[in-house]
Amino acid sequence: MPGMAWLAIAIVAEVIATTALKASDGFRHTAPSVITAVGYGIAFWCMSQAMRTVPVGIVYALWSGIGIVLITAIAWVLYRQVLDTPGLIGIGLILAGVIVIQVFSKTTA
């Protein structure tokens, strides 16, 4: 499987794990706690597979940037954690950085 496919799986697993972490309420609820542990395990393993062919800096930039944007959107919908204007601008800049890396960087190939 290509490195970017591994990275996509890692991002999805991390987003699921982080969403479950919030729902675990400090690991007080068993099911979300298990989902958190398994999700992060899958995320890190898949990220390590991505790093076999994609530079570590690119993997981490995309993993963290896309994860931040997705988690923020999920928190907005599920937990009503609305961002103010500076927060939205910051998320927009992160998204712009991810797009620049994906579209213009030759290191992601």
Side-chain angles (χ1 to χ4, degrees):
M1 186 179 314
M4 295 306 277
W6 284 117
L7 180 57
I9 295 167
I11 291 167
V12 169
E14 185 267 335
V15 168
I16 290 169
T18 301
T19 303
L21 182 61
K22 169 70 174 159
S24 78
D25 191 31
F27 294 108
R28 289 186 176 97
H29 302 290
T30 305
S33 298
V34 170
I35 293 168
T36 298
V38 171
Y40 282 131
I42 291 168
F44 283 112
W45 187 82
C46 290
M47 192 165 64
S48 75
Q49 298 307 302
M51 287 181 191
R52 296 172 75 191
T53 57
V54 181
V56 65
I58 297 299
V59 167
Y60 196 73
L62 293 173
W63 181 69
S64 59
I66 294 168
I68 289 168
V69 171
L70 291 175
I71 287 297
T72 301
I74 289 168
W76 194 316
V77 172
L78 291 182
Y79 303 115
R80 307 282 189 241
Q81 296 176 352
V82 180
L83 292 177
D84 58 8
T85 301
L88 288 171
I89 291 169
I91 292 295
L93 290 170
I94 291 168
L95 186 58
V98 168
I99 292 168
V100 166
I101 290 171
Q102 282 290 77
V103 174
F104 299 108
S105 177
K106 293 180 173 130
T107 58
T108 60

